[in-house]
């Protein structure tokens, strides 16, 4: 069974919601990313999104854009990100890894090479925010053959389009809590809850929500209606703020501890 399926099945039996952090691989460097993965797992993360830095991240707000810029300055590629996942697994991580990448890096790598590689690197899921639904069928079939879940993003839209998107989904449905780019938000539109309920009415597979969630109170609220909650920009910002500590050997552990404590308090 796919690691992601195992986690959602276990958590459903425990009556808990998956905490799904996001981080940008290579920010501030690959070795630190490996250490942060360990800290996130120790903090109680259930599934982890590994963001591939990209030069034109249309779905990402300024915090994640800055993280991508820092990683790209160190020549981080999609290959680097896959190697980090492999090294983290070899170091003992049991987290299901979701690769969050735009479509262009996959095309440059070649679809067959890409899917062969993610299978050997123990990737459980794949999120491609700029993949049109009209082009998702081929990707979905190749992902299924590689035992990787192509996770669809669903935004508030027509019932017909929502039903079409979730029809053949695997892994989980990623509900976008608000239109626009990623970024921390102090509040959400009043209709987000009903939107999530609508998505759940169309599918039996797990439903998670993300984009803008940054506090324990927000995680707690959405945990009452979702199988998973994604926290991205708030964690990436926490990493950004601790970079000066992470770069000094004498204070590195303090920086890692701050990241761990921030994520640990999100868990409900």
């Amino acid at each position: 069974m796919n690691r992601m399926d195992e986690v959602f099945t276990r958590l459903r039996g425990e009556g808990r919601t998956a905490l799904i952090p996001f981080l940008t691989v290579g920010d501030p460097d690959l070795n630190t990313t490996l250490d942060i993965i360990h800290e996130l797992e120790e903090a109680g993360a259930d599934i982890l999104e590994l963001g591939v830095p990209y030069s034109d991240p249309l779905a990402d707000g300024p915090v994640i854009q800055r993280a991508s810029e820092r990683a790209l300055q160190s020549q981080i590629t999609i290959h680097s990100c896959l190697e980090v996942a492999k090294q983290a697994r070899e170091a003992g991580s049991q987290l299901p890894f979701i690769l969050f990448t735009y479509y262009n890096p996959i095309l440059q790598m070649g679809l067959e090479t890409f899917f062969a590689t993610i299978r050997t690197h123990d990737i459980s899921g794949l999120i491609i925010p700029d993949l049109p639904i009209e082009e998702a069928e081929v990707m979905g079939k190749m992902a299924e053959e590689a035992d990787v879940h192509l996770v669809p993003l669903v935004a508030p839209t027509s019932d017909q389009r929502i039903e079409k998107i979730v029809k053949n989904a695997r892994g989980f449905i990623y509900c976008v809590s608000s239109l626009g780019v990623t970024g921390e938000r102090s509040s959400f539109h009043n209709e987000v809850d009903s939107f999530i309920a609508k998505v759940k009415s169309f599918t039996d597979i797990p439903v998670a929500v993300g984009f803008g969630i940054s506090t324990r109170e927000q995680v707690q609220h959405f945990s009452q209606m979702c199988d998973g909650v994604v926290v991205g920009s708030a964690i990436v910002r926490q990493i950004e703020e601790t970079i000066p500590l992470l770069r000094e050997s004498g204070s590195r552990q303090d920086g890692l501890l701050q990241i761990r404590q921030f994520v640990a308090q999100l868990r409900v």
Side-chain angles (χ1 to χ4, degrees):
M1 183 184 290
N2 183 295
R3 286 180 185 266
M4 194 192 309
D5 296 332
E6 292 177 350
V7 167
F8 277 120
T9 298
R10 174 174 56 80
L11 293 180
R12 186 168 287 180
E14 297 172 357
R16 291 202 299 109
T17 298
L19 177 60
I20 310 175
F22 169 99
L23 60 80
T24 300
V25 176
D27 178 36
D29 58 70
L30 292 178
N31 287 334
T32 302
T33 294
L34 281 168
D35 288 339
I36 292 173
I37 290 173
H38 174 75
E39 297 299 327
L40 297 184
E41 190 161 9
E42 291 295 308
D46 298 295
I47 298 170
L48 180 60
E49 287 187 24
L50 299 174
V52 177
Y54 187 54
S55 58
D56 188 23
L58 298 178
D60 294 317
V63 172
I64 295 179
Q65 286 184 22
R66 290 196 300 270
S68 286
E69 290 170 2
R70 289 190 294 270
L72 289 171
Q73 287 175 1
S74 300
Q75 309 299 313
I76 304 302
T77 66
I78 193 168
H79 296 276
S80 312
C81 299
L82 290 168
E83 283 304 307
V84 162
K86 184 177 182 180
Q87 290 171 26
R89 185 73 71 225
E90 291 171 348
S93 176
Q94 298 301 309
L95 290 174
F97 295 135
I98 300 172
L99 195 70
F100 186 107
T101 180
Y102 289 86
Y103 195 34
N104 188 261
I106 296 175
L107 289 179
Q108 291 185 355
M109 191 172 180
L111 295 184
E112 292 187 1
T113 300
F114 172 73
F115 280 104
T117 304
I118 62 175
R119 184 166 194 169
T120 58
H121 286 61
D122 200 8
I123 300 296
S124 298
L126 179 63
I127 297 175
I128 311 172
D130 60 344
L131 178 68
I133 185 174
E134 292 76 16
E135 299 178 20
E137 185 175 354
V138 172
M139 293 288 287
K141 289 180 179 178
M142 296 184 76
E144 187 171 359
E145 291 172 358
D147 192 28
V148 175
H149 294 330
L150 180 60
V151 176
L153 291 167
V154 183
T157 182
S158 68
D159 290 7
Q160 184 178 10
R161 186 166 178 82
I162 291 173
E163 187 174 14
K164 183 178 181 180
I165 291 173
V166 307
K167 183 177 180 181
N168 297 311
R170 299 168 68 239
F172 68 92
I173 309 296
Y174 191 138
C175 290
V176 176
S177 66
S178 53
L179 298 177
V181 298
T182 59
E184 299 164 72
R185 289 172 173 81
S186 59
S187 61
F188 295 86
H189 195 279
N190 293 334
E191 296 181 359
V192 172
D193 294 2
S194 59
F195 160 59
I196 293 170
K198 181 184 295 183
V199 173
K200 290 177 72 71
S201 73
F202 287 122
T203 184
D204 293 326
I205 72 170
V207 171
V209 63
F211 277 51
I213 298 168
S214 60
T215 68
R216 177 181 173 84
E217 291 72 26
Q218 291 169 350
V219 172
Q220 194 164 29
H221 171 78
F222 286 114
S223 291
Q224 297 172 18
M225 63 195 75
C226 291
D227 303 283
V229 178
V230 180
V231 182
S233 294
I235 294 172
V236 176
R237 176 181 53 78
Q238 183 69 35
I239 294 171
E240 180 179 55
E241 292 175 352
T242 57
I243 285 177
L245 296 177
L246 296 171
R247 286 179 170 161
E248 296 292 335
S249 59
S251 59
R252 183 177 177 81
Q253 289 305 313
D254 290 336
L256 292 171
L257 180 60
Q258 287 184 25
I259 296 168
R260 182 200 291 199
Q261 289 174 337
F262 178 79
V263 175
Q265 59 85 29
L266 293 172
R267 179 137 183 206
V268 297

